[in-house]
Amino acid sequence: MVNSDNYHRPYYVDKEHVPEFLGSTKLAEQGKDRHNHQFAGVTGEAIPIKGDSNTHRLFTNTDFFENHHHELSTQTSLAIPVGEGRHIHFVRARTTVDDGHFHLAIFATLTEYPLS
């Protein structure tokens, strides 16, 4: 949780921060079956990395399209500072194979605390 004591220090040293994320997968399939999926969630707690950085595990489900959805499970990049003591994480991952195909997902976590 953000308070006046820790607002100006890099919050990635706080193990309990869980960045939000949201996005859309890349398109898959061809013709009338061509589609993508949307997803959103929060990561797991920070996994400290030597050198004052961190990473996070994340797991989410996509929305449904024609009776199928996909799971997305991966680990984020290291923290990427964006100023004012905040940072993001880059994510590039593949979904599970469902309905005979998978999707790529490329996105960054959000910088704000959900309740700040």
Side-chain angles (χ1 to χ4, degrees), residues 12-13 46-56 75-79 89:
Y12 54 83
V13 299
I47 302 167
I49 302 293
K50 190 174 185 177
D52 232 9
S53 191
N54 71 78
T55 185
H56 298 265
Q75 190 159 336
T76 69
S77 72
L78 296 177
H89 296 273

Side-chain angles (χ1 to χ4, degrees), residues 59 69-73 94-98 101-103:
F59 177 84
H69 75 284
H70 301 268
E71 294 176 354
L72 181 63
S73 178
R94 277 178 36 165
T95 66
T96 54
V97 175
D98 293 283
H101 67 276
F102 67 87
H103 296 265

Side-chain angles (χ1 to χ4, degrees), residues 13-115:
V13 299
D14 177 4
K15 183 177 190 269
E16 294 177 357
H17 79 276
V18 288
E20 293 177 287
F21 60 88
L22 57 94
S24 297
T25 64
K26 299 294 184 184
L27 292 167
E29 298 196 296
Q30 299 298 317
K32 67 179 179 64
D33 291 330
R34 192 155 174 84
H35 69 280
N36 70 335
H37 296 269
Q38 288 73 48
F39 55 87
V42 295
T43 69
E45 290 183 357
I47 302 167
I49 302 293
K50 190 174 185 177
D52 232 9
S53 191
N54 71 78
T55 185
H56 298 265
R57 293 283 307 155
L58 67 85
F59 177 84
T60 193
N61 290 313
T62 67
D63 63 353
F64 280 83
F65 175 81
E66 291 186 353
N67 298 320
H68 79 278
H69 75 284
H70 301 268
E71 294 176 354
L72 181 63
S73 178
T74 192
Q75 190 159 336
T76 69
S77 72
L78 296 177
I80 302 167
V82 293
E84 297 184 18
R86 297 191 178 274
H87 70 275
I88 61 172
H89 296 273
F90 183 71
V91 179
R92 181 183 174 98
R94 277 178 36 165
T95 66
T96 54
V97 175
D98 293 283
D99 195 35
H101 67 276
F102 67 87
H103 296 265
L104 279 179
I106 302 170
F107 61 97
T109 60
L110 305 178
T111 60
E112 299 297 321
Y113 278 112
L115 299 176

